[in-house]
Amino acid sequence: MDEPSLARPGPAAPGLKAPTLVESAVTQPTATELIAVIVAVTDRTPRILTVDGATLPAGAFQPGYRSLQASLRSWVEKQTRLRLGYVEQLYTFADHGRTGADQRTISISYLGLTREGPAGRGASWQGWYRYFPWEDHRTGSPLSETLETALRAWAEAAPSPGARTQRRQRAAYSFGFDGHGWNEELTLQRYELLYEASLVEEAPEFRGTPQLGTAMRHDHRRILATGIARLRAKIKYRPVVFELLAAEFTLLELQQSVEALAGRRLHKPNFRRLITQQQLVEETGGSRAETGGRPARLYRFRRDVLLERALGGTKLPIARSR
Amino acid sequence: MDEPSLARPGPAAPGLKAPTLVESAVTQPTATELIAVIVAVTDRTPRILTVDGATLPAGAFQPGYRSLQASLRSWVEKQTRLRLGYVEQLYTFADHGRTGADQRTISISYLGLTREGPAGRGASWQGWYRYFPWEDHRTGSPLSETLETALRAWAEAAPSPGARTQRRQRAAYSFGFDGHGWNEELTLQRYELLYEASLVEEAPEFRGTPQLGTAMRHDHRRILATGIARLRAKIKYRPVVFELLAAEFTLLELQQSVEALAGRRLHKPNFRRLITQQQLVEETGGSRAETGGRPARLYRFRRDVLLERALGGTKLPIARSR
DNA sequence: TTCCTAATACTCCAACGGAGCATAAGGAAG
DNA sequence: CTTCCTTATGCTCCGTTGGAGTATTAGGAA
């Protein structure tokens, strides 16, 4: 969907010689792997597909596919029998030291959305807040005292007064201390700050003090943080939540899915207004009575908005007339 | 700046065996290259660094650096003596067929912002609208009749009635036909549509009819489109324009730089209000008289906002109270 | 029948953003 | 020296959006 999806043109036209700014690319062969953050939301909990609860699914890059994304998609779908509704590239890392020696691995990470189904051999679904307990602000701010204390200590241990102020500020902005509001999109920055402060197990200098979530293999927790951050940003301007829901749903189910992903409570009347005004959904005519209260109408996603939506995030004061 | 910037942890802890969902990554060695879209704005024109006007700078990935981004940065800075103010990863492609045989090349593309300086050997700065003339909407809508005619013909040539409607819609939404407004962020989608319709030279079925901009080598024009789209989106919520300006500037210069990148005219009073209200800049005290009118005050970018800005693009109706 | 729960429908209002006008301060032309 | 042209800068007007809260409806359970 987001992927530039053209077939690639053939070899270069002859006659163009390669000057200094174009180096031969064939020098250093590297191994290439694809790493997937596969997300589903079940029971108000965002879950990810893992191997042994500590590793993200990863596979060697398979030549022969039209694109990297097609390769990843078919590999995941074959291994897990899950249908990926939405796939987007996250980030590409160069990993040195993992396979040792001169060989480096290029890791290309992807985000994929689906609905939870039986996990394949060796795989399991895990709630993502298990790895990031401080990211769930739906009921209070978990660990906020622990974090604030630990990060303050880290800030005070800075080598210079300037660095100290900077550390204090970064911690305050990222985690919403000192009256700065909580911004759910900063998941990656928060994780990186904790890493830098050696407060997560993956950090080389980690001393084992507070237990901040379950660690993952290699840098998979960072990749997961990247995926969470990206998804939290995306749900605000692209109708991707629907990939995580059943075909028919109530507005509360929709809201609770968004709340699960964002890790925040939403204002119900305004959320409904937002959804209905944007005409993202249409009534199916049915209703569901098992809600504990008045029966809720059922809705379905209007697939055509995927085409319509020009999504003009216009923050620029564009001049109308000449 | 945007890069996840941690050093990577060491090899995996032993004891975790690799199940089905984790394949060995060492099977297929590939070549890896970095491709850079280096942007500067001079004289109200966005420019990119090219080789021979048709190729983006590219280099083999050099192991030994902390990260891919550091590798790219140092390589560009060494080759060109330009200082890159801002660097961000764009997209990673797998290119088959370029180097032939079994070997595939992984291309990791980057966007870099700088100020124009003397281009090195074999390199030259080119205005980016040379490659995308239809993207500059500052004075009218260039080529819009040509494009509308050609795209309508393409839509009518669709194999089925359904496909025809879909093509018409896509063209209308992407290019702003039929009363749909122009959205400057859709640069990549527009290029891909033109490619699909075989209206650009790079397309395999291109028949040479209308001349829509200068073609580039391989898929570099698509990479450039990706960079333009990303930058146009970014300037709306991140203060990156300042990387392209001199240390001191007038508000009109700032506005014209944004206009150059966005390819649109902006509403002057509202643009000023936007900038000043957000406290992105501060007065230097100086002024510049060579404006043709009343002398303009000089401003400088407030570097500290890079830290401050939490940039809550909150489109969600977050509940305040419990 | 009463009460609890959630669904659904409105209302109120402050803030933001689009659009346009008024005034200021230089330089150039007459 | 005055007039005029040009751009800079400051301010107003007002419709739309989005935050917050309240009222009413319709099921099920006590």
Side-chain angles (χ1 to χ4, degrees):
Chain A
M1 196 177 282
D2 242 16
E3 179 200 33
S5 58
L6 300 180
R8 299 199 122 218
L16 283 175
K17 67 166 189 293
T20 333
L21 271 173
V22 178
E23 295 179 7
S24 165
V26 204
T27 36
Q28 277 279 338
T30 47
T32 306
E33 66 170 356
L34 304 180
I35 301 190
V37 178
I38 311 289
V39 179
V41 176
T42 313
D43 207 22
R44 299 183 206 178
T45 308
R47 294 173 205 273
I48 53 157
L49 195 63
T50 70
V51 177
D52 293 332
T55 309
L56 293 173
F61 158 53
Q62 309 275 342
Y65 285 96
R66 207 191 81 251
S67 67
L68 284 172
Q69 189 158 315
S71 169
L72 176 102
R73 186 170 228 128
S74 94
W75 168 66
V76 169
E77 295 185 348
K78 198 160 58 187
Q79 293 288 332
T80 65
R81 290 162 194 263
L82 296 169
R83 218 175 335 176
L84 296 184
Y86 175 85
V87 171
E88 118 173 23
Q89 200 180 90
L90 283 176
Y91 206 81
T92 301
F93 307 89
D95 189 345
H96 58 155
R98 193 194 288 185
T99 39
D102 292 321
Q103 175 122 31
R104 277 180 91 157
T105 301
I106 301 281
S107 307
I108 311 175
S109 56
Y110 280 86
L111 172 68
L113 305 185
T114 188
R115 261 169 276 148
E116 188 172 333
R121 303 158 287 176
S124 68
W125 289 101
Q126 301 287 341
W128 80 23
Y129 292 118
R130 176 181 170 192
Y131 309 100
F132 299 98
W134 61 88
E135 289 289 336
D136 188 359
H137 278 229
R138 282 176 294 178
T139 56
S141 308
L143 296 170
S144 67
E145 296 82 9
T146 314
L147 287 166
E148 191 158 0
T149 313
L151 286 170
R152 252 183 232 298
W154 168 73
E156 298 315 314
S160 73
R164 198 169 307 146
T165 331
Q166 192 144 4
R167 283 187 179 184
R168 271 198 220 108
Q169 289 226 332
R170 283 176 62 203
Y173 291 130
S174 305
F175 285 87
F177 302 149
D178 308 335
H180 297 93
W182 174 261
N183 183 343
E184 69 280 355
E185 289 184 34
L186 304 181
T187 305
L188 178 60
Q189 279 153 77
R190 283 187 285 268
Y191 176 74
E192 297 205 327
L193 203 62
L194 295 179
Y195 186 104
E196 207 178 318
S198 296
L199 295 169
V200 290
E201 213 175 310
E202 291 92 335
E205 312 263 309
F206 180 67
R207 292 286 162 265
T209 8
Q211 189 59 30
L212 295 177
T214 305
M216 297 185 84
R217 209 193 212 187
H218 295 312
D219 54 350
H220 287 192
R221 209 164 158 202
R222 178 159 59 111
I223 294 173
L224 177 53
T226 310
I228 294 174
R230 188 81 130 255
L231 186 50
R232 284 182 169 180
K234 201 112 200 171
I235 47 174
K236 293 181 185 166
Y237 61 96
R238 275 268 171 113
V240 288
V241 222
F242 302 100
E243 309 284 351
L244 301 162
L245 291 171
E248 300 197 348
F249 48 84
T250 68
L251 289 185
L252 185 59
E253 285 167 0
L254 175 59
Q255 179 183 344
Q256 287 175 335
S257 297
V258 176
E259 288 180 335
L261 297 174
R264 309 194 68 165
R265 303 291 294 265
L266 302 182
H267 186 278
K268 185 149 129 179
N270 290 349
F271 179 78
R272 302 172 130 264
R273 180 174 63 184
L274 194 72
I275 299 297
T276 48
Q277 275 185 0
Q278 293 188 170
Q279 302 192 283
L280 288 173
V281 298
E282 61 192 1
E283 298 187 24
T284 67
S287 72
R288 177 171 299 164
E290 317 86 58
T291 57
R294 172 174 172 175
R297 293 186 196 158
L298 288 174
Y299 292 83
R300 78 170 68 89
F301 176 48
R302 287 185 54 235
R303 291 248 151 235
D304 25 336
V305 302
L306 288 178
L307 254 185
E308 288 177 26
R309 295 274 117 187
L311 308 131
T314 174
K315 261 282 194 176
L316 295 178
I318 289 173
R320 302 295 168 195
S321 56
R322 298 273 3 271
Chain B
M1 193 179 284
D2 242 16
E3 180 200 33
S5 57
L6 300 178
R8 300 197 119 219
L16 284 174
K17 68 164 188 293
T20 333
L21 271 173
V22 178
E23 296 179 5
S24 164
V26 206
T27 37
Q28 276 280 339
T30 47
T32 305
E33 65 170 354
L34 305 180
I35 300 190
V37 178
I38 312 289
V39 178
V41 175
T42 314
D43 205 21
R44 300 183 203 178
T45 306
R47 294 173 205 271
I48 52 159
L49 196 62
T50 70
V51 176
D52 294 332
T55 310
L56 293 173
F61 157 55
Q62 309 274 343
Y65 285 97
R66 207 190 82 251
S67 68
L68 284 173
Q69 188 159 316
S71 167
L72 177 101
R73 188 170 226 126
S74 94
W75 168 65
V76 169
E77 295 185 348
K78 199 160 57 187
Q79 292 289 331
T80 65
R81 289 161 194 263
L82 296 168
R83 218 174 335 174
L84 296 184
Y86 175 85
V87 172
E88 117 173 25
Q89 202 180 89
L90 283 176
Y91 206 82
T92 301
F93 307 90
D95 189 347
H96 56 156
R98 194 193 288 186
T99 38
D102 292 321
Q103 174 122 34
R104 275 180 91 157
T105 301
I106 301 282
S107 307
I108 310 173
S109 55
Y110 280 85
L111 172 68
L113 305 185
T114 187
R115 261 168 277 149
E116 190 173 333
R121 302 158 288 175
S124 68
W125 289 100
Q126 303 286 339
W128 79 23
Y129 292 119
R130 176 182 168 189
Y131 309 99
F132 299 98
W134 61 87
E135 290 288 336
D136 188 358
H137 278 227
R138 282 176 293 178
T139 55
S141 309
L143 295 170
S144 67
E145 296 84 8
T146 314
L147 287 166
E148 192 158 0
T149 312
L151 286 170
R152 252 181 232 299
W154 168 74
E156 298 315 315
S160 74
R164 199 169 307 147
T165 332
Q166 194 145 1
R167 283 188 179 183
R168 272 198 220 108
Q169 289 224 331
R170 284 175 64 204
Y173 291 130
S174 305
F175 285 88
F177 302 148
D178 308 336
H180 297 94
W182 174 260
N183 183 341
E184 70 280 355
E185 290 184 34
L186 303 181
T187 305
L188 178 60
Q189 280 154 77
R190 282 187 284 267
Y191 177 74
E192 296 204 328
L193 203 63
L194 295 179
Y195 185 102
E196 209 178 317
S198 296
L199 294 169
V200 291
E201 213 174 311
E202 291 93 335
E205 312 264 309
F206 179 67
R207 291 286 162 266
T209 7
Q211 190 59 33
L212 295 177
T214 305
M216 297 185 84
R217 214 192 208 187
H218 296 313
D219 55 349
H220 287 193
R221 210 165 160 201
R222 177 158 59 110
I223 295 173
L224 177 52
T226 309
I228 294 174
R230 187 80 130 256
L231 185 51
R232 284 183 170 180
K234 202 112 200 172
I235 47 173
K236 293 181 184 166
Y237 61 96
R238 274 269 172 113
V240 288
V241 220
F242 302 101
E243 308 285 350
L244 301 163
L245 291 171
E248 301 197 347
F249 48 84
T250 68
L251 289 185
L252 185 60
E253 284 166 0
L254 175 59
Q255 180 182 343
Q256 287 175 335
S257 297
V258 175
E259 288 179 334
L261 297 174
R264 309 195 67 166
R265 302 291 295 264
L266 303 181
H267 185 279
K268 186 149 131 182
N270 290 349
F271 179 79
R272 302 172 130 261
R273 181 174 62 185
L274 193 75
I275 298 297
T276 48
Q277 274 185 359
Q278 295 189 170
Q279 301 192 284
L280 288 173
V281 298
E282 62 192 1
E283 298 187 23
T284 66
S287 72
R288 178 170 300 165
E290 317 85 57
T291 57
R294 172 173 169 175
R297 293 189 196 155
L298 288 174
Y299 292 83
R300 77 171 69 89
F301 176 49
R302 285 186 55 235
R303 291 250 149 234
D304 24 336
V305 301
L306 288 178
L307 254 184
E308 290 178 25
R309 294 273 119 188
L311 308 132
T314 176
K315 260 280 194 178
L316 295 177
I318 288 173
R320 302 295 168 195
S321 57
R322 298 271 5 266

